[in-house]
Amino acid sequence: MTPTTTREPSRQPAIEALLADGTPTREQVDAFIAEHTFPLVEGAQVTFMYRGEASAVSLQHWIYGLESSKQFTRIKGTDVWYIVFTMRRESRVEYKFLVEHGDRRELVRDPFNDQLAHDPFGANSVCHTDRYAVPDWSLPDPEARPGVIEERIVASEAFGETRRFQVYLPARYRTTRRYPLLVAHDGSDYLRFSSLKTVLDNLIHRLEIPPMIVALSDPSDRLVEYAHDERHDRHIATEIVPAMTSLYSIVDAPGARGLVGASFGAVAALSTATRYPGVFGRLFLQSGSFAFTDIGTSKRGPLFEPVVDFVNAFRDDPVKPAERVAMCCGIYESLIYENRSMVPVLQSTGAEVRFFEARDSHNWENWRDRMREGLSWLFPGPLWMIYE
Amino acid sequence: MVRATLLGPQRHVTTIGSVASELGWRGPVATITAGWEEREDEDDELVEALGLPAHNLRLFARAESVFAEDPELLAALRERHDRLRALRRLYRQRLRHALDAARELFVSDRRAGNRPITVPVRDHTTDDEIPGVERLEWSDPTILEPAQTDAMRAVTELDRHHLRRVAEVYHAFENNVRPAERRSVRREREAIARELAPCDAVAIAGGHVTVLLNRLRLFGIASLLVRRPVMAWSAGAMALTDHVVLFHDTPPQGKGNPEMFEPGLGLCPDVVALPHASKRLVLDDPVRVSLLARRFAPARCVALDAGSRIDWDGERWHGHSSTMALSRDGEVVPVSTCW
C-alpha cells in the first residue's frame, strides 16, 4: 500500500486578493487594514503589515536557518508595506521591524500588534500560528493558592562576597512537612519573563507537581560564572543547597533535589551536576548553550571557549549528572543541533533522559511553555491520589 | 446499616453546613481530616462551615504516634505499600493495552455513524493486507458489538484480577501483622470509640485518598460508622464506596487511564465516586464517558462536582437534581434518572 499523508489545501493570503487587480486605491488599502488584525494568520501564511514613510522595511526575527532580514514590499502609491511569510503550525516567533530612512535605521515593535514578550533586553512583538496558545497554566488562576517569594542572603566563600537570592515557598508551607528543592539559575529572569511563580502556583494547585521550594539564584557576571566556573558550581552545591536545607524543611535526597537553567544557565546546571555527582537527582536543561567542536575551533567567540572545552570533555567522557534529565530546545534556535546531539550522550551515562522540542526560539516564553512537561516529569505531583 | 451523604468538593461551594442542618444534626460532629495529612488539625474553616460543635478524631496524628511506638508495624506497612505499588505497576501496564483495544473499537463505532467503515483484514505477522479476504464492515452491529463487549470484558476482568491481588495483600497483612491486636493500635481504637461516643454524626473530608483509607482501616473506623449518619466529600466519599477508582483524563504525563485502585470501606454500595469530575474528566468525549460507565457497571459513576449530593439511606440511593452521572451512551445525565 502506498502511504498517504493528509495535507491542508494551501490558501491564498487575503492580501493577494487585494493586489490581484493591480494597484489598489488608498481607500481599498485602508478598508483592508481596518477589516483585519495583524499579523494576519491564515493557516501557514502570515501577513505582516507596516504603515509609515520609509525607504525600506524588513522583518527581523530570531529563527535560525532563515535569513534574518526579510524585506517588505511597498504597496504602490501608499505608505503601506507588507510581507507574507510562511510559518509551520504551532509556531511562535518573536520579531521586530527594521525601518530604514536613508542611512538612519531603527528597530521598532509591530505597531499593529500589542502582543509582546519581554526579556532582559526589552520586548519583542510576538506572532503565532494556529494551534499555539499561551498555556492556561501560565496565567494567573484565582483558584490557585499563591506561594510567597522571600529574600535571602548567603555568605559565599566561593565568590568571596555575600550573595542575595530569592526563595519560592509554596502556599501552605509547613515545617512539619518536607519539600523537594529546585535551584533555578537566572531566578529573577524566570520570575519576570517566564512567570515562574504563577506557573509553580498553578502546577502545584493542579497537583501536577508536588508543593516544592525553589531557590532562585542570580549571577553577578553571568557569562563567566555560568561557563563551567568552579566557583559557581561550588556556590550552588556547597553553599546554596546547605543554606536552603538549614533554613527550610527539605527532603534530603538526590531524587528530591534538582537544578534548572536556560541557555548559559543550562550549561551552569549541567556543570554543577557533573562536578558534584550524586547531589542532584533531577536536571532540567532548557536550550542549553552546549557549544562543542568535532573538528577545528568553535566560531561562537571567546565567551564560549570554556563552554566548548567543558562540553567537548563531557562528550568525550560523560558523567551521569542526575537520575533524570529533562531537556528542551526550540526548533528555530541555532542551538537545536547541539541540544539534539547531547541527548544520546546523556543517555549513554545511564540517566533517564526526556527531550522535547517546540516551534519556538531562544526566549523566556518558550522556556515558560515547556515548564509543565519538564517539571511534572522530574517531580511528579500527587495528581492521582489527592481529591480535596 | 450506614446512612451516608456524599458531597462534592467543599472549597468553593460549601454545603456541609446546610446539609447538616437539613439532616437535623445537632452535634457534636466527629470530624476526620486525615486526608489533609500534616495539616489535619487546621480545621477551623471546616468547623465554621459546619456550624456545629465538632471534635477532630486526629487519625493522622494518632497513626504517626502508633508508627513511632511500633516500628515493626511501620515496617510491615511499608512492605505492604511496596507490594501494592508493584502490583499497581503491573496492572497499569496491562490496563493500557486492554483499554486501548476497547477504545479503538468504540471510537470506530462513533466515527462510523450510519456509514459503513471498512478496515482491511491484515496478516499480523507481516502487517500486510490479506488479498482476497473481504474487508470488515465495523458498522455492522452483528460484527462490532460482540467485539466491543468482549473488549470491555477483558478490561473489567483485569480490574477484578487486580482487586483480587490487592485483597490478597491486605488479607496476608491482617493475618500476619494483626494490627487490631497490637497494643498501640488497640489503645488508639479505644480512645477513638470513647471520643466518638458523644458524637451524633461523622464528617469525613477529602485529601490524599490512600492516607485517608489507611488510617480509616488501621483504626477500624468502618465498624464505628454503622451507628451514626455520615457525611463525606471528595476522597472521603471515595473511601466509603465499594471500590476506589483513581482518574484523570488529561494528566501532564501518561495516558490518563482510570484505574481500579483498591477496595473502599464498602459502606456505600454500587457507586463510583468521581470528585471534581468536570475538571478531571473530559465529559464531552462520549467514548471516554461511555467506557467509564460501562466498565464499572452496575455501579453508577457519579460526578461529584461542587454542589453535588447523593444520599444513601441504608437501602437505596437518592440523587439530587443538580448531581450528574455518566451514562453508557456516553452522556452526562442527572443522577436522579439512574435510580
Side-chain angles (χ1 to χ4, degrees), chain A residues 3-25:
Chain A
T4 57
T5 53
T6 307
R7 188 172 293 205
E8 297 219 355
S10 60
R11 289 158 53 187
Q12 189 187 42
I15 190 130
E16 287 191 14
L18 175 73
L19 302 172
D21 299 328
T23 307
T25 64

Side-chain angles (χ1 to χ4, degrees), chain A residues 1 142-145 172 174 176-177 179 205 207-208 354 372-373 376-377 383-388, chain B residues 9 11 38-39 42 88 129 206-210 234-235 238 246-248 252-253 257 276 279-280:
Chain A
M1 280 174 66
E143 288 196 9
R145 293 181 175 93
R172 306 194 291 185
R174 298 288 182 277
T176 48
R177 177 184 193 137
Y179 297 81
H205 167 68
L207 307 168
E208 294 181 358
R354 190 166 287 192
R372 181 187 188 223
E373 190 165 3
S376 67
W377 182 63
L383 185 67
W384 288 87
M385 290 299 177
I386 291 188
Y387 303 79
E388 279 195 338
Chain B
R11 184 176 166 209
E38 77 285 348
R39 292 184 292 101
E42 296 175 20
R88 193 171 165 219
E129 201 171 334
H208 197 297
V209 69
T210 315
S234 297
M238 297 164 86
L246 306 181
F247 62 100
H248 199 298
Q253 311 286 337
N257 293 326
H276 297 284
K279 283 189 178 170
R280 299 177 72 107

